[in-house]
Amino acid sequence: SRQLQAVKNMTDTIEQMQMVEMVDNNNSSSARTDTVEQMQMVDNNNSSYLDMNPHTPSLMQSEQVEWLKAHLPPNHLGSILSSILGKNLTHDSVPSSFPPSLHPYWKFLKFLIITYLSMFLSREFAKRFGSTWDRELDMDEFLNHNFWDTLTDVTVIYFVGRLGYRRGVDCANFLIPLFMGACVWEVVGTHPELSKNLSCIKKCWTPLTYVVFIGFMMLIVVLLSFQVYKMNKDELLPGRALEVTLILSLTLAPLIGNEDFHLHHWTWAWLGALVFNLRYSWSFASQGFFVGMYANGIGIWGRDPLIYDR
């Protein structure tokens, strides 16, 4: 689209050059000067494309316009994938059948619906594939003991995770990683050597358990490193570092010293969804994966407390 706009600008400039030749001699010098400056701006905008193509012939401006129209490259694969993965299932604006007062909250409502649906799907996957789940957790138990806490968690993810500044979460770039975190993760966990807890690392972990765990942690480290690099490049690192420090000091720091402290996977998935909050598609996808893992933990075990009640 940028190159097509450059073609249009070049065509307009050529027409202006032709008009300049018809201007009276007394005004032609100043008018021609302005037009030449415009021509230079068009040349600068298109120089990157012309320089990158070694087969570009040396042509007059009018011929370059025709040559560009015939030789503009098609959209590359990255642009095509981006347009497909970023396409929303519903508009980010409120449908006409809904009250207009819902407009500021529409993205938030979509996020709530998708997150709670993920909790339900996680539980159904656990039942279907024979995994373990809290059989005492039914809808009444969830509504009485977990609903308001999870609503607070999801609200914090939405605002601290900057989802209000992104496109709606009902796009493949977010939904596919979310599905992987919520459901595929549960299927993998049915493997006897992968369904091990950190608390039994010395007794029941096998070589396969170590390999998968180390590989997963290496992926997290790579993503976090790239996240920090992009934060620093975008001059966001000090503020985001302070934000993460504040969150940890209010949530985990007071509990770590307690001998009954247990870090459930819904907890560190919730923290991951808060950290991966940049505008880049890979950060958005990572955030979707952690939201899915959070939904997985809540849907299967409920929002268990971080301190065991003996």
Side-chain angles (χ1 to χ4, degrees):
S1 62
R2 193 166 60 243
Q3 293 164 345
L4 289 174
Q5 183 63 37
V7 170
K8 183 179 182 301
N9 293 341
M10 189 178 294
T11 305
D12 294 341
T13 306
I14 292 171
E15 292 176 355
Q16 292 176 10
M17 286 287 288
Q18 295 172 348
M19 293 176 61
V20 167
E21 295 177 358
M22 300 172 60
V23 177
D24 185 61
N25 291 335
N26 293 333
N27 299 321
S28 61
S29 60
S30 60
R32 188 171 288 109
T33 301
D34 295 339
T35 308
V36 169
E37 292 177 354
Q38 294 176 0
M39 200 69 173
Q40 290 173 346
M41 292 176 62
V42 174
D43 287 340
N44 291 334
N45 291 335
N46 294 286
S47 61
S48 59
Y49 174 73
L50 297 174
D51 292 342
M52 284 189 296
N53 196 325
H55 304 293
T56 305
S58 177
L59 303 172
M60 297 297 291
Q61 292 294 340
S62 60
E63 294 175 328
Q64 281 188 350
V65 172
E66 298 303 322
W67 189 91
L68 280 171
K69 288 180 178 178
H71 294 83
L72 282 176
N75 289 333
H76 54 78
L77 182 60
S79 299
I80 297 174
L81 288 177
S82 178
S83 62
I84 294 175
L85 295 178
K87 186 176 180 59
N88 292 102
L89 299 178
T90 62
H91 290 292
D92 283 340
S93 57
V94 178
S96 58
S97 58
F98 285 70
S101 58
L102 289 178
H103 180 73
Y105 316 105
W106 183 240
K107 285 185 181 180
F108 179 59
L109 288 175
K110 289 200 295 185
F111 179 58
L112 278 180
I113 293 170
I114 288 174
T115 304
Y116 280 103
L117 280 177
S118 301
M119 296 178 189
F120 173 78
L121 287 176
S122 298
R123 191 170 183 83
E124 292 304 310
F125 261 70
K127 292 178 181 179
R128 180 173 296 273
F129 288 95
S131 180
T132 56
W133 72 92
D134 187 353
R135 300 176 184 273
E136 297 180 359
L137 180 65
D138 54 18
M139 185 59 68
D140 290 338
E141 177 76 13
F142 178 80
L143 293 176
N144 291 332
H145 296 92
N146 294 157
F147 177 74
W148 293 108
D149 289 335
T150 56
L151 181 61
T152 302
D153 292 341
V154 175
T155 303
V156 172
I157 291 175
Y158 182 81
F159 287 103
V160 178
R162 274 77 173 178
L163 288 173
Y165 298 99
R166 313 284 176 255
R167 64 169 63 254
V169 297
D170 55 331
C171 61
N173 192 28
F174 191 89
L175 291 178
I176 293 176
L178 181 140
F179 176 78
M180 292 178 64
C183 300
V184 177
W185 179 270
E186 188 60 32
V187 176
V188 172
T190 59
H191 193 286
E193 294 189 58
L194 300 180
S195 58
K196 306 298 183 182
N197 199 300
L198 281 173
S199 59
C200 67
I201 186 172
K202 295 181 179 180
K203 298 179 180 179
C204 57
W205 277 35
T206 65
L208 178 61
T209 311
Y210 281 102
V211 169
V212 173
F213 177 77
I214 293 174
F216 180 73
M217 293 307 299
M218 287 179 63
L219 176 62
I220 298 298
V221 169
V222 170
L223 288 174
L224 280 175
S225 301
F226 201 48
Q227 180 87 354
V228 171
Y229 168 75
K230 284 294 187 180
M231 284 181 180
N232 185 59
K233 187 176 180 180
D234 294 344
E235 299 181 352
L236 298 172
L237 186 57
R240 298 297 170 88
L242 179 62
E243 182 178 277
V244 172
T245 302
L246 182 62
I247 292 173
L248 291 176
S249 63
L250 292 176
T251 55
L252 298 185
L255 307 176
I256 291 178
N258 194 310
E259 62 179 4
D260 295 326
F261 172 74
H262 178 73
L263 187 65
H264 300 283
H265 78 267
W266 72 258
T267 312
W268 57 264
W270 178 76
L271 292 172
L274 300 181
V275 172
F276 287 93
N277 55 11
L278 297 183
R279 57 187 173 87
Y280 305 102
S281 59
W282 56 268
S283 184
F284 191 49
S286 301
Q287 190 176 42
F289 178 79
F290 283 111
V291 171
M293 288 202 65
Y294 167 81
N296 173 276
I298 300 298
I300 292 176
W301 297 106
R303 195 181 183 279
D304 290 337
L306 299 179
I307 302 297
Y308 278 127
D309 185 2
R310 297 181 181 273

